[in-house]
Amino acid sequence: MPGYVALVLHAHLPYVRHPEHARSLEERWLFEALWECYLPLLGVLDRLAADRVVAPLTLSVSPPLLAMLRDELLLRRFEDHLRRLTALAARVEARFAGSGFAAAAAFYRARLAGAASAWAALGGDVPGALLRHAAAGRVELLTTAATHAYLPGLLPTPASIRAQIRLGRRAFAALTGAPEPRGFWLPECAYAPGIDADLAAAGVRFTVLDAHALALAAPAPSAGASVPVRSPSGVACFGRDRDSAREVWSRDAGYPGHPVYREFYRDVGLDLPERELDGEIGPGGARLMTGLKLHRVTGPGPDKAPYDPARASAQARAHAAAFVVRREAALASICGAPAPPVLVAPYDAELFGHFWLEGPEFLEHALRGLAASDRAVPIALGAYLERHPPTEVVAPAASTWGEGGFGAFWTGPSAARLWRHAHHAERAVQRALSRCRGAGGLPGRALDQAIRELLLLQSSDWAFMMSAGDMVPYAEARTRAHAARARRLAGLAQEPSAAPADVAWLDALCALDPFLAELSGPALQDAFDPWR
């Protein structure tokens, strides 16, 4: 009886759109992910398809990311960014010609040319390309909460948990034209008892939990995390395979730390004189990461050797082969499981290409190796469930895959101030819903936008930034802005009439934050209702 390996990628970025700034620094997060991660991932899928390699994977795409990938303003800005970066890469290549960095510089120029060609070939439609691969069975698409909210943090306001789940699924359907997915990625892989009932009521069939959610379950599953179980509400729960995670994610022993791989923290934007950066600098001359990084990891110290793309490519293939061999050995060691074991290996999609430049190549060759194996067969999560529905019922424990494993990263001291704003704003929106549901005209528009602002306030990204100590002022500013807007809009929805200034403000705000503009009226408002 063969075992299975389910590679699961979760693609998400915070919703960032700043038309008021010609070159917003935060919009670069999307642009970097596009040319470093998403386009290379599509390249992997295209090559596997061309070679008729059958190696399906599971991919979760968040509504904020889908919305940005459908936004004409952001797509035009990405094309401008790609042109500027291509010009800078040509300048860097000329500067380092004949030096030890020549191969690395030439590599980036070619990589950017490939990104531009791929972008043109798909007409800038990344979601459309993913849907085509999904239709061919190469990818199973999932989605997640509407704004990737940390759901256990919303337990004091359970209506928001319902809304995040319902609207996450509705937004996926509205933005892709595809049916609501059967699977649901829990943001930050975070679970609390009772959330399974909300998932089941929304029509979700399966999700992924961290391994300790099952290890601490009541009762403990007979096969640990190697076979999915059913929650008390009937949702199938897959457990994350710890060894697969450690080999890729571990800060000390993970693949990306190998000495020949590209060093993430050295960048020409930090190393070169400002006059040579073609304007790729931030406000006030602040230095930026450009994505052009010419050094390799080398070792733990500050001295870094030139990056050798050929050596790194060979190492990525060797690591992929080792990954497959270890999965085969792990599956062979599992005895007495009630169904064929499945090792679930979930990762942030942005790891592959952004933080770990060689990640897409590793992923491609891991999938090729699994496709050639008769002991570790690649499979999508939904396909596994169709063949082997779980029968064992357990109550998973509260958990997350984040630091510490139990949510302190999102609700601890560094991020605690966020939740007060989120809960107060939710109450204001709920009052407006109770009084103005179904209203037309300006009250209805104000109520809809209040809901959108509340959802954006609940994004897990702001808590993550606060706890990580990264972009804290931006996270705090977004928290304050969305909270204030949600409360003011909730009040405006209840006014019998609006001043011209209020109408102009609402118009401007809807243009500034058009997130989920595809949904309005009952499609937004009934998402907070009790399950029926």
Side-chain angles (χ1 to χ4, degrees):
M1 180 171 65
Y4 297 96
V5 176
L7 288 171
V8 182
L9 301 184
H10 174 53
H12 165 69
L13 290 174
Y15 184 76
V16 173
R17 184 181 189 274
H18 292 295
E20 72 276 21
H21 301 302
R23 288 171 61 178
S24 162
L25 299 184
E26 293 77 22
E27 288 177 359
R28 294 171 71 101
W29 300 337
L30 173 64
F31 306 156
E32 291 166 355
L34 272 166
W35 78 270
E36 293 176 332
C37 306
Y38 308 144
L39 291 175
L41 174 60
L42 288 173
V44 169
L45 296 173
D46 290 342
R47 288 188 293 275
L48 293 176
D51 293 342
R52 299 187 178 181
V53 175
V54 180
L57 57 83
T58 304
L59 175 65
S60 166
V61 189
S62 76
L65 177 56
L66 281 172
M68 291 188 291
L69 292 175
R70 292 295 194 200
D71 191 297
E72 289 298 326
L73 171 69
L74 295 177
L75 299 185
R76 289 197 306 273
R77 287 184 170 184
F78 168 67
E79 292 169 356
D80 291 341
H81 177 84
L82 199 58
R83 282 192 288 269
R84 293 196 309 270
L85 202 54
T86 298
L88 176 60
R91 185 183 182 100
V92 168
E93 183 180 24
R95 186 190 197 278
F96 288 104
S99 75
F101 295 101
F107 166 82
Y108 280 108
R109 181 192 52 74
R111 188 178 178 90
L112 283 161
S117 177
W119 181 257
L122 57 86
D125 186 6
V126 170
L130 290 174
L131 289 168
R132 288 191 292 275
H133 282 294
R138 290 183 284 272
V139 173
E140 178 180 29
L141 294 177
L142 314 185
T143 194
T144 186
T147 54
H148 205 263
Y150 179 76
L151 297 181
L154 297 174
L155 288 172
T157 53
S160 281
I161 296 179
R162 295 193 293 268
Q164 282 281 345
I165 295 171
R166 278 171 164 157
L167 292 175
R169 304 184 78 230
R170 291 176 187 175
F172 178 91
L175 289 162
T176 63
E180 295 181 0
R182 298 176 298 170
F184 189 91
W185 177 264
L186 288 168
E188 315 303 352
C189 212
Y191 179 79
I195 287 179
D196 65 309
D198 291 316
L199 294 174
V204 172
R205 186 179 175 196
F206 64 88
T207 191
V208 177
L209 304 178
D210 209 325
H212 59 289
L214 300 184
L216 301 176
S222 61
S226 63
V227 172
V229 297
R230 287 174 55 213
S231 77
S233 297
V235 176
C237 298
F238 291 87
R240 182 166 74 142
D241 178 55
R242 289 189 182 276
D243 291 336
S244 301
R246 187 179 302 111
E247 288 175 24
V248 175
W249 274 118
S250 171
R251 187 173 301 174
D252 301 317
Y255 297 142
H258 192 280
V260 305
Y261 286 148
R262 192 274 310 268
E263 168 62 48
F264 177 78
Y265 294 101
R266 288 291 297 272
D267 190 285
V268 301
L270 308 178
D271 290 343
L272 294 185
E274 182 178 325
R275 65 180 181 277
E276 297 186 32
L277 294 176
D278 286 345
E280 287 303 300
I281 57 173
R287 293 305 189 95
L288 305 173
M289 290 277 202
T290 65
L292 308 184
K293 307 169 192 293
L294 306 182
H295 296 81
R296 60 185 177 91
V297 173
T298 312
D303 296 328
K304 304 295 180 182
Y307 177 60
D308 183 339
R311 285 186 66 193
S313 174
Q315 187 59 60
R317 297 179 182 222
H319 274 149
F323 181 86
V324 173
V325 169
R326 288 171 181 160
R327 301 293 77 71
E328 290 175 334
L331 287 165
S333 70
I334 298 172
C335 300
V342 56
L343 302 180
V344 179
Y347 310 103
D348 281 336
E350 291 76 24
L351 166 69
F352 296 90
H354 179 60
F355 295 107
W356 183 18
L357 176 69
E358 301 80 10
E361 187 165 9
F362 164 86
L363 184 65
E364 176 176 344
H365 288 279
L367 289 168
R368 289 180 182 274
L370 292 170
S373 174
D374 57 2
R375 292 178 291 164
V377 178
I379 196 167
L381 297 181
Y384 180 93
L385 288 181
E386 289 174 0
R387 300 179 193 179
H388 310 289
T391 57
E392 192 171 4
V393 179
V394 308
S399 56
T400 173
W401 73 352
E403 183 177 330
F406 292 100
F409 197 77
W410 288 275
T411 60
S414 297
R417 59 193 183 277
L418 177 152
W419 295 103
R420 174 172 56 88
H421 291 293
H423 297 151
H424 284 225
E426 201 262 4
R427 283 192 285 271
V429 172
Q430 284 283 29
R431 284 195 298 270
L433 270 168
S434 68
R435 299 171 182 174
C436 310
R437 181 188 297 270
L442 185 135
R445 290 180 61 216
L447 181 57
D448 286 351
Q449 191 64 23
I451 292 171
R452 299 182 186 111
E453 298 292 338
L454 174 64
L455 296 171
L456 290 168
L457 169 62
Q458 293 169 343
S459 169
S460 72
D461 300 285
W462 321 136
F464 181 91
M465 293 176 193
M466 291 175 186
S467 290
D470 184 32
M471 300 294 294
V472 174
Y474 182 75
E476 291 176 335
R478 288 291 297 266
T479 297
R480 290 192 299 269
H482 292 306
R485 293 169 187 168
R487 291 194 300 268
R488 181 177 172 185
L489 287 161
L492 184 59
Q494 300 171 68
E495 293 293 331
S497 60
D502 290 328
V503 176
W505 176 74
L506 176 59
D507 290 342
L509 187 57
C510 290
L512 183 70
D513 274 347
F515 176 68
L516 290 195
E518 296 80 5
L519 301 178
S520 61
L524 280 175
Q525 297 169 19
D526 71 11
F528 292 85
D529 293 350
W531 301 112
R532 293 186 294 273

